[in-house]
Amino acid sequence: MRDVFIVGVGQTPVGEHWDLGLRELGAQAIRRALDDAGAETVDALYVGNMMGGCLNGQENVATLLADAAGLLPAEAWKVEAACASGGAAVRAAALAVAAGAYDAALAVGIEKMTDGVPDAVTAGLATAADQDYEASHGFSFVGLSALLMRRYMHETGKEREAFAPFAVNAHENAAANPNAMFREAISADEFARCAVVANPIGILDAAPVCDGAAAVVVCAREALRPHHKPVRIAASAVATDTIALANRDDILTLAAAARSAARAYEAAKVAPRDIDLFEAHDAFTIITALSLEACGFAPRGGALDLAAKGCHRPGGCIPLSTFGGLKARGHPVGASGTYQIVEAALQLRGEAGVNQIAGAKRALAQSIGGHGSVAVTHVLEAS
Amino acid sequence: MRDVFIVGVGQTPVGEHWDLGLRELGAQAIRRALDDAGAETVDALYVGNMMGGCLNGQENVATLLADAAGLLPAEAWKVEAACASGGAAVRAAALAVAAGAYDAALAVGIEKMTDGVPDAVTAGLATAADQDYEASHGFSFVGLSALLMRRYMHETGKEREAFAPFAVNAHENAAANPNAMFREAISADEFARCAVVANPIGILDAAPVCDGAAAVVVCAREALRPHHKPVRIAASAVATDTIALANRDDILTLAAAARSAARAYEAAKVAPRDIDLFEAHDAFTIITALSLEACGFAPRGGALDLAAKGCHRPGGCIPLSTFGGLKARGHPVGASGTYQIVEAALQLRGEAGVNQIAGAKRALAQSIGGHGSVAVTHVLEAS
């Protein structure tokens, strides 16, 4: 396979974009990534998006964005892997370039959730779960996540308060990120006292409903130019697990996340100790903990102990959510995986400003769909 | 790019599958394609599907099918390009193998439309159009297609009856196809007298609402085995055009179809005269005509003259819809592009039975999404 490099990144602020539709939001991120790459256009566009059909009445989103961003007649299609769609779109773009189909391609993740009424968003998110055996029986996405968190607390003997460091760190890191939705700090005390969404998940365990788009331009070595600040995609790996939680031997092992991480480490010839920062899928604090364990940063049941030591803050042993993560930058679901990769690339380019992780040379980004039923893991390297 | 071959095909009957959900339907097609390839499993699955979210309440469809078909922990994600999703899924699988990510991969197209109430299906299909500028103003998918047909009749001076040969041929070819939805013949007279759906489109111009799944296993040359009957993917090309009809200079030129065909011919080093059969996107008779013209089989406005000469029947100059096409085999939208490729592969393997096009060595399959806003074109060759 040909080496593939990220040479352009672009993003919109995450928030409630009542004045922008999918086309305007997507085109902004695409044009910013092209500008960053110093390119006018690109011949292939892969769009990560989950709920365009359900919430915006718009499938064929890839054509819509190719049209809106002035990329016609580029190859364009949408990639959907539930909340991991944005990571999977980067995977698709990397495959197209690795195959030699194109020397450069663009991946954009986009989601516009605020167009939907709250019930529609809840129903839309539940389409990532098993409709026949979970959602149709009344389980919401957060409800299923609550089962995971309750079981984790039961097995480890931890209280909900022990999850606070993930959320506190995320908000702290978002403060200086102009693209973040929540830029105000929160305290562990506020975390403990927040409103309950689905017991034991509180509002401050959970990422928000929001809109956003993020894009990356990837290219082959032959297409690198002197003005580029390339970040190499050292590995890109996807794995799956049962869609229904009930079919798993152990619901506290995210097997797809573990498998995709193992494949990525192997392809990149690295181990967890070689990773300088981790953009984890912190949609809920429980998912952060399980992702850390799946990726080998903590033993089973041990993620909260690391968190308690401040291990995930800037300068810690494995910094997390360095621009605020899904929790505080925000989680426009089909875009989040692309935001992670944009942010990791900025870190590896040394362009993260006050959020810079000193000496960052290698980053891990993991995007998780469903309740760990699909996971996309990328290892990125400074070059 | 590495050469990629189709070595396994599988399909379910197209129809109203009230007794099967997405998981059962998809798993059947996948297992049949694996059996045909003589393989137990595969490490990557790309799923073409358009309306799982809207009609079945199920996104994350690729994980669902990987799970249902026993392929876990395979890489799996969904590909959506409106009604061209099934063709785009084959493109994704071919890219993964061409890149060297896998020696073999599986593409499955699936759609289960009968789960939706009629209004939901109409709204779901309209998500392939421009929601902001077309669908939200009341245009249905068939309504927009009717505009194309009316304009074509105006410019060419043809009557609706001149489109009959496409539908008559499709039904005739479906008669011996056990997987076809409509296996009864229709006459030109019945075509002329049929009920109107959206003037001038009649019920016999239009492909049906239905369920189905079709799958192909693709592999690299290194993975070919003596028992395989390989069909080479000589070209796989995607192109896009404006999503809204109003933004086109000429609505009777399907620029994306023409562009993707031109790219495919160039990559395969062939011309229209080298093609022995054409699986066209005959969702409406007008689209068949425009696709024939876009692919260089007829001059602009000339497709109906060829049809009148019987050119598209078996043994004619360019046989069409050899197993019934979208019109009579049926059009489960996200699956149709994969059905086309399954059928073309059977022709090139000489396994088409009474539908066999004598001496078929090279086939063209074109899958069109939206009103020509995206097109996926494959050239397949016997080997």
Side-chain angles (χ1 to χ4, degrees):
Chain A
M1 286 175 67
R2 298 206 294 182
D3 275 346
V4 181
F5 299 85
I6 295 170
V7 294
V9 299
Q11 55 183 316
T12 72
V14 176
E16 300 187 5
H17 290 288
W18 300 102
D19 53 337
L20 302 174
L22 283 173
R23 62 204 321 137
E24 295 86 9
L25 204 58
Q28 281 186 11
I30 290 169
R31 296 311 316 176
R32 286 169 192 170
L34 286 170
D35 287 349
D36 186 51
E40 277 297 309
T41 190
V42 72
D43 294 326
L45 172 69
Y46 304 96
V47 178
N49 173 252
M50 179 181 164
M51 294 184 283
C54 290
L55 297 183
N56 314 110
Q58 186 70 68
E59 294 293 353
N60 208 1
V61 173
T63 300
L64 180 86
L65 297 193
D67 189 359
L71 303 183
L72 299 178
E75 167 163 353
W77 28 274
K78 163 175 154 174
V79 175
E80 186 272 325
C83 307
S85 300
V90 176
R91 166 75 171 156
L95 281 176
V97 171
Y102 300 101
D103 281 341
L106 198 145
V108 59
I110 184 165
E111 203 80 55
K112 185 142 179 40
M113 303 169 74
T114 59
D115 282 1
V117 295
D119 279 0
V121 174
T122 299
L125 289 169
T127 64
D130 189 317
Q131 181 59 233
D132 294 341
Y133 296 100
E134 293 177 330
S136 66
H137 301 280
F139 268 109
S140 67
F141 199 77
V142 61
L144 285 161
S145 302
L147 288 184
L148 293 178
M149 189 165 174
R150 177 63 68 196
R151 182 74 200 173
Y152 191 92
M153 291 163 62
H154 173 76
E155 287 197 23
T156 62
K158 303 286 188 190
E159 297 296 324
R160 175 176 170 273
E161 288 67 26
F163 290 85
F166 298 133
V168 170
N169 172 63
H171 277 253
E172 203 165 286
N173 293 341
N177 177 6
N179 296 306
M181 184 163 183
F182 297 136
R183 299 181 58 186
E184 65 288 359
I186 60 167
S187 67
D189 189 50
E190 286 169 308
F191 178 87
R193 291 185 290 99
C194 75
V196 172
V197 181
N199 195 324
I201 291 180
I203 189 83
L204 290 179
D205 289 284
V209 169
C210 52
D211 310 327
V216 298
V217 177
V218 299
C219 77
R221 189 179 296 278
E222 295 84 333
L224 291 176
R225 296 289 171 266
H227 68 269
H228 286 153
K229 292 160 281 190
V231 169
R232 190 170 77 90
I233 299 180
S236 174
V238 185
T240 48
D241 194 2
T242 70
I243 188 163
L245 287 181
N247 291 334
R248 298 186 194 166
D249 292 333
D250 168 20
I251 62 170
L252 296 187
T253 297
L254 296 191
R259 181 68 70 117
S260 73
R263 286 180 186 164
Y265 290 144
E266 188 185 349
K269 300 186 177 65
V270 299
R273 66 178 172 279
D274 302 314
I275 302 296
D276 299 315
L277 65 104
F278 181 26
E279 293 302 331
H281 192 85
D282 55 339
F284 299 105
T285 52
I286 177 61
I287 303 297
T288 316
L290 295 178
S291 177
L292 280 162
E293 296 173 13
C295 293
F297 294 111
R300 184 193 159 103
L304 302 185
D305 297 326
L306 286 182
K309 293 178 195 159
C311 186
H312 306 311
R313 305 184 58 199
C317 53
I318 181 68
L320 275 188
S321 312
T322 66
F323 281 89
L326 281 59
K327 171 68 197 80
R329 173 245 296 135
H331 182 27
V333 293
S336 291
T338 322
Y339 272 101
Q340 291 178 321
I341 288 172
V342 164
E343 293 162 351
L346 289 172
Q347 289 284 3
L348 299 175
R349 280 160 48 161
E351 297 178 357
V354 301
N355 293 89
Q356 185 66 45
I357 303 300
K361 296 294 177 204
R362 198 175 284 115
L364 189 75
Q366 183 170 74
S367 189
I368 295 178
H371 293 87
S373 58
V374 56
V376 184
T377 307
H378 283 88
V379 176
L380 305 182
E381 287 183 350
S383 51
Chain B
M1 286 175 67
R2 298 205 295 180
D3 274 345
V4 181
F5 300 85
I6 294 170
V7 294
V9 300
Q11 55 185 317
T12 73
V14 176
E16 300 188 5
H17 289 289
W18 299 102
D19 54 336
L20 301 174
L22 283 173
R23 60 201 328 136
E24 294 85 10
L25 205 58
Q28 281 187 10
I30 290 169
R31 296 312 317 176
R32 287 170 191 170
L34 286 170
D35 286 349
D36 185 51
E40 277 297 308
T41 189
V42 72
D43 294 327
L45 173 69
Y46 304 96
V47 178
N49 173 253
M50 179 182 164
M51 293 184 284
C54 289
L55 297 184
N56 315 108
Q58 186 69 69
E59 294 292 354
N60 208 3
V61 173
T63 300
L64 180 86
L65 296 193
D67 190 357
L71 303 183
L72 298 179
E75 167 163 354
W77 28 274
K78 163 176 153 173
V79 175
E80 186 272 325
C83 306
S85 299
V90 177
R91 166 74 171 157
L95 281 176
V97 172
Y102 301 101
D103 281 340
L106 198 145
V108 59
I110 184 166
E111 204 80 56
K112 186 142 177 41
M113 301 169 76
T114 59
D115 282 0
V117 295
D119 279 0
V121 175
T122 300
L125 290 169
T127 64
D130 189 318
Q131 181 59 233
D132 293 342
Y133 296 101
E134 292 177 331
S136 67
H137 300 280
F139 268 109
S140 67
F141 199 76
V142 61
L144 285 160
S145 302
L147 288 183
L148 293 177
M149 189 164 173
R150 176 63 68 196
R151 182 73 201 172
Y152 191 92
M153 290 163 64
H154 173 77
E155 287 197 22
T156 62
K158 303 285 187 190
E159 297 297 323
R160 176 175 169 272
E161 288 67 25
F163 290 85
F166 298 133
V168 170
N169 173 62
H171 278 253
E172 203 165 286
N173 293 341
N177 177 5
N179 296 305
M181 184 162 181
F182 297 137
R183 299 180 61 187
E184 66 286 358
I186 60 168
S187 67
D189 188 51
E190 285 169 310
F191 178 87
R193 291 185 290 100
C194 75
V196 173
V197 180
N199 194 324
I201 291 180
I203 190 82
L204 290 179
D205 288 285
V209 169
C210 51
D211 310 328
V216 297
V217 177
V218 299
C219 77
R221 189 179 297 278
E222 296 83 332
L224 290 177
R225 296 290 171 267
H227 67 270
H228 285 154
K229 291 160 280 189
V231 169
R232 191 170 76 91
I233 299 181
S236 173
V238 185
T240 49
D241 194 3
T242 69
I243 187 163
L245 287 182
N247 291 333
R248 299 186 194 166
D249 292 334
D250 168 21
I251 61 170
L252 295 188
T253 296
L254 296 191
R259 181 68 70 115
S260 72
R263 286 179 187 165
Y265 289 144
E266 187 185 349
K269 301 187 177 62
V270 298
R273 66 178 172 278
D274 302 314
I275 303 297
D276 299 314
L277 64 105
F278 180 25
E279 292 303 331
H281 192 86
D282 54 340
F284 299 105
T285 52
I286 176 62
I287 302 298
T288 315
L290 295 177
S291 177
L292 279 164
E293 296 174 13
C295 293
F297 294 110
R300 183 192 161 105
L304 301 187
D305 297 326
L306 285 183
K309 293 179 200 161
C311 186
H312 307 311
R313 306 184 61 198
C317 52
I318 181 69
L320 275 189
S321 312
T322 66
F323 281 88
L326 281 60
K327 172 67 197 82
R329 172 245 296 135
H331 181 28
V333 292
S336 291
T338 321
Y339 273 99
Q340 291 178 321
I341 289 171
V342 165
E343 293 162 350
L346 289 173
Q347 289 284 3
L348 299 176
R349 281 159 48 162
E351 298 178 356
V354 301
N355 293 91
Q356 185 65 47
I357 302 301
K361 296 293 176 203
R362 197 175 283 116
L364 189 75
Q366 183 169 73
S367 189
I368 296 179
H371 293 87
S373 57
V374 56
V376 183
T377 308
H378 284 87
V379 175
L380 306 182
E381 286 183 351
S383 51

